[in-house]
Amino acid sequence: MGGAGTYKPTGKNDRAVLLEMIHSTTNTSAEDLLFSYKGMLYPSILCSLETFQALETFEAREDDLLVATYPKNGTNWLIQILCEIVSLVHHREPLPDATMIEFGSPEILARFKDRPSPRILSTHLDFKNIPKSFFEKKVKILLVLRNPKDTAVSFYQFHNSLPALPSYNSWATFFKDFTNGTVVYGQYFDFVATWEKHFDEKTMMAITFEEMKLDFPSAVKKISEFFQFSLTEEQIHLVANRTTFNSMKEKSENTHGKLGDSFFRKGEIGDWKNYFTEDQSKVVDTMFEKYLAGTKLGKMLNYDKYCKF
Ligand code: A3P
């Protein structure tokens, strides 16, 4: 197993390097594609022990913009929104470099030091594994959530379209792994419930995929205000227009190379109804009750509206 630790720098944009690593994976066994660290599974093509160790001393900056997500909750959407906002305010190229702090070799991570402020960073790491420096520096963290049923379907399709993740013969098999948490980054409800427990209103804001779909300009305004960027109404609409699903899919060859169609699949609410059986739906309903009913983040998910047949 090669793993991210063996990557040799080439001088290319690090994001392009990571995308190429994902695309050109030739391993086929799940065992080779998964890497376990402190009891959690990660994609071995992208994550390594060396990088996790280097992350422990990662130096955050007060003006970093951190996007935290469970996989398939809209990470790339938010990154592009922030790139467009920062590009308007700081007159920079709106195409992102590598943003996931836990991806790639320690050399890639070290190059984050050379990035100009404000740096746009992202992570799928569990709250407990986020480098301490982000909290010491009171970095603003935007948590993006998506309803668990669409998350599961999107994640299933992603496994079957990305060579870097184990593929599944059936939705039923994936569903079992998803609910058991035997997928990369663990169990969805654990992830959200841990954020709920540590949520600090002063430095964190949560937004949902569904609320962004329903009223996108208002969501862009809310995001820009949270990160203290003052955009005109015209700029808000410009950012929103540049980051619709269709607009991002059209540009995806530029931003995601050959993996564009894997990252921009449908971008809809409710696709889960095409996959879930009644029984599977009930399993997730019970998990929601157990982990999130009555919580702030649970309420934001608007579960009855988005997760009932
Ligand atoms: P689907 O698989 O349901 O289509 P992530 O970036 O965290 O991997 O999330 C990917 C999901 O977000 C995919 O969901 C993708 O289509 C959706 N997505 C990406 N950009 C989007 C946009 N601009 N608008 C709506 N959905 C978007």
Side-chain angles (χ1 to χ4, degrees):
M1 176 171 65
T6 56
Y7 163 71
K8 301 271 180 305
T10 61
K12 268 196 209 169
N13 170 309
D14 286 328
R15 180 185 171 96
V17 170
L18 290 172
L19 286 165
E20 187 51 40
M21 281 162 67
I22 301 174
H23 181 72
S24 58
T25 309
T26 49
N27 284 335
T28 48
S29 81
E31 213 173 77
D32 281 349
L33 293 171
L34 299 175
F35 154 76
S36 174
Y37 180 66
K38 293 188 182 173
M40 181 80 83
L41 294 173
Y42 298 97
S44 61
I45 303 303
L46 294 164
C47 299
S48 69
L49 181 63
E50 294 76 12
T51 302
F52 279 111
Q53 284 166 345
L55 265 179
E56 285 174 21
T57 52
F58 183 82
E59 286 180 33
R61 295 183 198 150
E62 277 168 23
D63 58 1
D64 281 340
L65 319 172
L66 181 64
V67 175
T69 52
Y70 184 81
K72 311 320 292 169
N73 279 206
T75 328
N76 287 274
W77 192 5
L78 262 299
I79 294 302
Q80 197 56 44
I81 291 170
L82 289 179
C83 282
E84 297 290 350
I85 293 176
V86 170
S87 147
L88 284 174
V89 177
H90 291 268
H91 311 288
R92 274 195 210 162
E93 176 67 29
L95 285 181
D97 198 343
T99 62
M100 299 292 284
I101 56 174
E102 70 270 24
F103 281 4
S105 63
E107 288 83 4
I108 290 183
L109 188 62
R111 281 201 284 280
F112 278 74
K113 280 191 192 138
D114 305 328
R115 306 261 178 96
S117 287
R119 298 182 298 189
I120 297 165
L121 307 174
S122 63
T123 186
H124 293 322
L125 288 174
D126 170 71
F127 180 89
K128 296 186 289 294
N129 290 318
I130 291 187
K132 289 191 180 43
S133 166
F134 283 97
F135 305 111
E136 288 160 4
K137 294 273 170 67
K138 299 191 179 5
V139 171
K140 292 218 166 185
I141 304 177
L142 178 64
L143 177 67
V144 189
L145 301 175
R146 185 181 192 184
N147 81 68
K149 295 182 180 175
D150 280 332
T151 299
V153 167
S154 179
F155 212 3
Y156 167 61
Q157 291 293 352
F158 200 54
H159 276 79
N160 283 349
S161 72
L162 220 68
L165 288 176
S167 52
Y168 281 86
N169 290 332
S170 73
W171 156 247
T173 318
F174 177 79
F175 180 80
K176 277 200 193 110
D177 277 356
F178 180 77
T179 46
N180 289 336
T182 43
V183 286
V184 294
Y185 293 100
Q187 206 247 74
Y188 169 95
F189 288 102
D190 270 337
F191 178 93
V192 183
T194 310
W195 274 98
E196 167 79 25
K197 209 162 125 199
H198 299 278
F199 207 80
D200 173 8
E201 307 273 349
K202 290 192 211 90
T203 53
M204 299 172 192
M205 183 177 88
I207 196 159
T208 65
F209 183 99
E210 292 76 18
E211 108 183 63
M212 289 174 56
K213 287 288 291 184
L214 247 53
D215 184 355
F216 193 27
S218 300
V220 171
K221 188 164 194 265
K222 204 167 145 186
I223 293 161
S224 58
E225 284 171 356
F226 170 65
F227 285 117
Q228 292 173 316
F229 292 115
S230 67
L231 297 189
T232 62
E233 283 299 311
E234 198 187 327
Q235 287 175 319
I236 285 166
H237 284 275
L238 189 64
V239 171
N241 287 337
R242 286 177 178 169
T243 53
T244 59
F245 178 78
N246 287 339
S247 155
M248 287 189 66
K249 195 173 171 77
E250 270 165 29
K251 286 180 288 200
S252 65
E253 215 182 303
N254 221 1
T255 55
H256 291 74
K258 294 174 192 125
L259 292 167
D261 287 346
S262 306
F263 282 94
F264 305 97
R265 190 184 63 96
K266 282 194 169 176
E268 288 170 4
I269 302 173
D271 194 27
W272 66 269
K273 291 181 185 166
N274 299 317
Y275 293 77
F276 274 67
T277 63
E278 291 274 355
D279 283 350
Q280 289 169 338
S281 184
K282 280 187 197 137
V283 169
V284 175
D285 294 350
T286 307
M287 292 178 89
F288 177 82
E289 283 298 317
K290 178 179 166 198
Y291 287 87
L292 293 177
T295 65
K296 185 175 178 291
L297 296 179
K299 281 191 194 114
M300 281 190 72
L301 283 172
N302 225 328
Y303 194 84
D304 284 350
K305 179 171 176 188
Y306 294 116
C307 288
K308 293 284 166 79
F309 272 116

